[in-house]
Amino acid sequence: MWKYDPVLFSRVLTELTLTFHIIYATIGVGVPLMIAIAQWVGIRKNDEHYILLARRWTRGFVVTVAVGVVTGTAIGLQLSLLWPNFMQLAGQVISLPLFMETFAFFLEAIFLGIYLYTWDRFENQKKHLLLLIPVAIGSSASAMFITMVNAFMNTPQGFELKNGVITNIEPLVAMFNPATPTKVAHVLATAYMTCAFVLASIAAWHLMRGNRHIYHKKALYLTMKTALIFSLASALVGDLSGKFLAEYQPEKLAAAEWHFETSTHAPLVLFGMLDENNNIKNALIIPNALSILAHNHPAAEVKGLNEFPKEETPPLYIHYLFDLMVTLGVFLTVVAAVYWLGKIFKWKFVAKKWFFGLLVASGPLSMLAIEAGWYLAEVGRQPWILRGYMKTAEAATSSAHVDTMLILFSILYLILGIASAAVLINMFRKNPVERELAERSGQQEVMAE
Amino acid sequence: MTLEIVGISVLWLFLFGYVIVASIDFGAGFFSAYSDFAKKKHILHKIIQRYLSPVWEVTNVFLVFFFVGIVGFFPKTAYYYGSILLVPASIAIVLLAIRGSYYAFHTYGGTERNWYLLAYGLTGLFIPASLSIVLTISEGGFVEKSGETLTLLYKELFVSPLTWSIVLLSITSVLYISATFLTYYANEAGDMQARELLRKYALSWSGPTILSALLIIYQLRHHNPEHYSNMFNIAWMFAISCLFFVLTVYLLWKKRHFGWAFISLLLQYAFAFYAYGISHYPYLLYPYLTIYDGFTNQAMAIALIIAFIAGFLLLIPSLYLLMRLFLFNKKYVKGQL
């Protein structure tokens, strides 16, 4: 018999909202930085192409911001609507960064409004660029504050829980919990990386289709170089995240790595399958690598999953999420490095159609890695919502109708997703670069006369 | 003054800010859509577009600020309201999502879809209606508590005259506040044709707002006698509110000082809004939750207040800049920038 389970539906609805929101949120965090870089380069080199690049990215950006804002509002409310027990408990300790996030968002919203409508109001372009700084700071700070809340869910501290009553609350200690540094750094670096790849995809798309306008070449070079820098940063932070997990959330690392017995010289398991007795088959095994990832030493001891009570360990399929995230991350870093080296040493194949095709795929693949990473982070924390204090099942609402709301929001996200993509495609197809460049140079000639 | 009072006063201020800013936005959207269907697009469209463009995103933040703040200061509201508001709040989210995204798609993407425009205009009325339900629920009588489970009584809520009176007030207020502001704005822009049309709208929606407010007070007498008698203790605040109402209507009627007319309207709503809030004290949700048993701990409260002051110091100059560059910039308002 089918039975209505509000916990299950609350989880699915939250997953759905986050899966959708994270796409727009990532764009919201990374693209302002990319716009700032392009505008800065444009001013420095006095190159109209980069200025136009910044202008066009901005126009696309506002469409994604709108969806980010409305889905962000949705998840903000859903936290209380779907997880009232969790918010009642955690709200007492971790509401400070949530509250500060609204200020960061406020700042971003105000200055984005100003930035958008003042392109031609300033004689000095640098003044206009200055307006973008609060936007970039606001959006990155938003991401930081929200990630602090998520970090707190993984390694809660800054309070004492006695008989269901919370005492000795220290809001700053809760904010700066052990998971905060690596998580915040990882979220920001990967957001910048992903946005660089997404924008590179667009330029590569035009080049692949045979449009060899210098505008697209400049765009591709700028975005790929940025992508390479942030890919390397992400890899570095990813390594630190491994060390953080080994220290503070060993069960998450062990489950992601299918590392069952505590051992020294622990190997890193990639891909593969598990049989019914949890024996690993067909996997790629790299000796000592897990010990290095966890403790920077090939002989170091890594805690195995069997050390933990079975009902307190995450599901083992997170291994595949980990593999997906890492494989994509490494692959994209290599692609960016090959492109960059190819440009320096003038390798012919980096201007071949198939290589552009690869670059077109880089944006979507990077976004996929973001999704896999968040699923790994969230599913890897199960069964806890607040690790060690509250299980997900205890936190959910007992309301009826969560299933109906799931349908309602599925339809909403479907419409928003299709509509935002259609609007973006339409917007740029109606107004191709060549035409806009011609119009702008025409305008300038008129002004010069 | 206790921390509880400081907390709720700050939140109430932001909610008031949202009511005003959002009303202007919702009403402007409705008038814009309506003018399209009533073939008066050429009169209103430009003036409304100039106002709306730079500020739409800021409006939304006021709401986010309120609900994040209330969970911060009063974590138990997450439990009480979170448990019962699933359906009404989800509907409001969907409407807000349609509205926010339409605005961006339309303005920046240049999409022209008639059915979407209609939906946009209507959300301007449905959103305030759906959000106002929360005020109705807060009056008590619509929530059943058995053990730890809270249930919203949909049927009682739907057939209650109080619900519909509050919905009526929210919709008429949206149109009245918005029309009064836009009258001022059109006057500043020197667009007399738009000003006259909007002035007519403002005057015709002024009466219904007062009638629906009186209707609510009458309903409360039966529905929540405690709140009703509290309201009488601060009747002077409602009286001042009424005086400002008369002043606004007078100025609009005489076509004088539209800026002052709007300020007088702000004072009218501020007095009524605060009088309502004060008489609601100490309950957040009759009869289950007061601001005292729902309050967070001392440490968090102080941290939040410090964050609030710091944030406010950051926002005030930013908002000032926004207003100087757009809303109160003569050249921008007149369309010369």
Side-chain angles (χ1 to χ4, degrees), chain A residues 88-111:
Chain A
Q88 179 179 227
L89 181 81
Q92 300 174 55
V93 194
I94 201 63
S95 45
L96 183 61
L98 273 175
F99 192 59
M100 289 163 96
E101 193 269 347
T102 57
F103 279 108
F105 177 41
F106 219 140
L107 189 73
E108 179 195 344
I110 290 173
F111 279 92

Side-chain angles (χ1 to χ4, degrees), chain B residues 186-197:
Chain B
N187 188 56
E188 287 295 295
D191 186 342
M192 290 306 137
Q193 211 187 357
R195 188 195 83 182
E196 278 317 296
L197 187 62

Side-chain angles (χ1 to χ4, degrees), chain A residues 70-331:
Chain A
V70 298
T71 53
T73 310
I75 188 64
L77 276 165
Q78 281 177 355
L79 276 181
S80 292
L81 296 172
L82 299 174
W83 311 100
N85 302 318
F86 165 68
M87 284 306 279
Q88 179 179 227
L89 181 81
Q92 300 174 55
V93 194
I94 201 63
S95 45
L96 183 61
L98 273 175
F99 192 59
M100 289 163 96
E101 193 269 347
T102 57
F103 279 108
F105 177 41
F106 219 140
L107 189 73
E108 179 195 344
I110 290 173
F111 279 92
L112 182 62
I114 298 177
Y115 182 76
L116 273 181
Y117 287 93
T118 51
W119 271 103
D120 299 314
R121 265 218 223 176
F122 297 100
E123 285 290 318
N124 185 347
Q125 269 283 316
K126 276 189 194 154
K127 275 193 191 161
H128 185 240
L129 177 60
L130 279 181
L131 290 170
L132 191 59
I133 293 172
V135 179
I137 292 178
S139 60
S140 290
S142 287
M144 178 183 78
F145 289 130
I146 288 300
T147 309
M148 281 174 159
V149 178
N150 185 267
F152 173 80
M153 293 162 78
N154 283 282
T155 53
Q157 66 171 30
F159 66 97
E160 277 170 45
L161 189 66
K162 278 181 199 151
N163 311 323
V165 182
I166 287 193
T167 53
N168 276 339
I169 292 164
E170 297 172 276
L172 288 176
V173 177
M175 257 172 92
F176 295 98
N177 59 74
T180 293
T182 41
K183 246 189 202 297
V184 169
H186 201 59
V187 165
L188 290 179
T190 53
Y192 302 144
M193 163 185 163
T194 302
C195 289
F197 277 119
V198 167
L199 295 171
S201 289
I202 298 170
W205 167 258
H206 290 287
L207 291 166
M208 184 182 78
R209 306 238 313 193
N211 181 338
R212 293 298 159 99
H213 198 291
I214 183 78
Y215 171 91
H216 298 303
K217 289 184 183 166
K218 284 177 181 171
L220 186 65
Y221 188 66
L222 180 73
T223 49
M224 285 306 288
K225 218 164 59 174
T226 319
L228 177 62
I229 293 167
F230 286 113
S231 302
L232 293 171
S234 305
L236 179 72
V237 180
D239 179 64
L240 293 174
S241 302
K243 294 177 178 41
F244 153 78
L245 283 179
E247 179 81 25
Y248 293 96
Q249 268 184 302
E251 77 282 7
K252 199 190 232 178
L253 185 69
E257 292 304 326
W258 287 350
H259 183 63
F260 297 102
E261 295 298 334
T262 301
S263 67
T264 58
H265 298 279
L268 189 73
V269 177
L270 283 174
F271 316 108
M273 307 270 274
L274 281 182
D275 68 11
E276 54 273 25
N277 300 320
N278 278 350
N279 291 318
I280 301 164
K281 277 198 243 164
N282 303 329
L284 188 66
I285 301 209
I286 309 173
N288 299 337
L290 183 58
S291 288
I292 295 173
L293 175 67
H295 301 288
N296 249 349
H297 194 283
E301 186 181 86
V302 181
K303 258 193 179 176
L305 204 55
N306 293 345
E307 304 258 330
F308 303 92
K310 233 192 161 62
E311 64 282 1
E312 290 183 7
T313 55
L316 291 172
Y317 74 81
I318 64 169
H319 175 71
Y320 296 113
L321 297 170
F322 178 87
D323 283 352
L324 186 63
M325 175 184 79
V326 170
T327 312
L328 285 173
V330 171
F331 173 72

Side-chain angles (χ1 to χ4, degrees), chain A residues 4 13 59 62-63 65-67 69-78 80-85 87-103 105-118 121-122 131 166 169-171 397-402 405 408-409 412 415-416 419-420 423 426-427 430, chain B residues 10-11 14 53-54 56-58 60-65 67-69 71-73 75-76 78-87 89-91 93-94 96-98 100-101 103-105 107-111 113 116 148-150 154 296-297 299-300 303-305 307-309 311-312 314-315 318-319 321-322 324-326 329 332 337:
Chain A
Y4 171 76
L13 180 48
R59 254 179 266 147
V62 284
V63 170
V65 165
V67 182
V69 169
V70 298
T71 53
T73 310
I75 188 64
L77 276 165
Q78 281 177 355
S80 292
L81 296 172
L82 299 174
W83 311 100
N85 302 318
M87 284 306 279
Q88 179 179 227
L89 181 81
Q92 300 174 55
V93 194
I94 201 63
S95 45
L96 183 61
L98 273 175
F99 192 59
M100 289 163 96
E101 193 269 347
T102 57
F103 279 108
F105 177 41
F106 219 140
L107 189 73
E108 179 195 344
I110 290 173
F111 279 92
L112 182 62
I114 298 177
Y115 182 76
L116 273 181
Y117 287 93
T118 51
R121 265 218 223 176
F122 297 100
L131 290 170
I166 287 193
I169 292 164
E170 297 172 276
T397 181
S398 51
S399 306
H401 312 301
V402 185
M405 295 303 115
L408 181 72
F409 279 101
L412 175 71
I415 293 175
L416 287 182
S420 59
V423 165
N426 233 323
M427 194 161 125
K430 265 198 302 196
Chain B
V10 164
L11 294 172
F14 266 78
S53 300
W56 71 272
E57 211 191 340
V58 175
N60 205 44
V61 189
F62 275 93
L63 178 67
V64 176
F65 190 96
F67 73 70
V68 171
V71 173
F73 279 107
K76 276 200 179 150
Y79 171 70
Y80 279 91
Y81 280 106
S83 300
I84 52 183
L85 286 180
L86 178 69
V87 176
S90 295
I91 292 172
I93 297 170
V94 171
L96 281 167
I98 293 175
S101 53
Y103 186 76
F105 295 169
T107 312
Y108 309 117
T111 9
R113 296 257 192 294
Y116 221 116
E148 284 300 296
T149 323
L150 295 155
Y154 291 97
T296 190
N297 51 86
M300 181 56 82
L304 289 176
I305 290 170
F308 173 77
I309 293 169
F312 213 62
L314 192 72
L315 286 188
S318 318
L319 277 173
L321 187 67
L322 183 71
R324 260 210 45 191
L325 284 171
F326 301 104
N329 185 314
Y332 177 81
L337 270 177

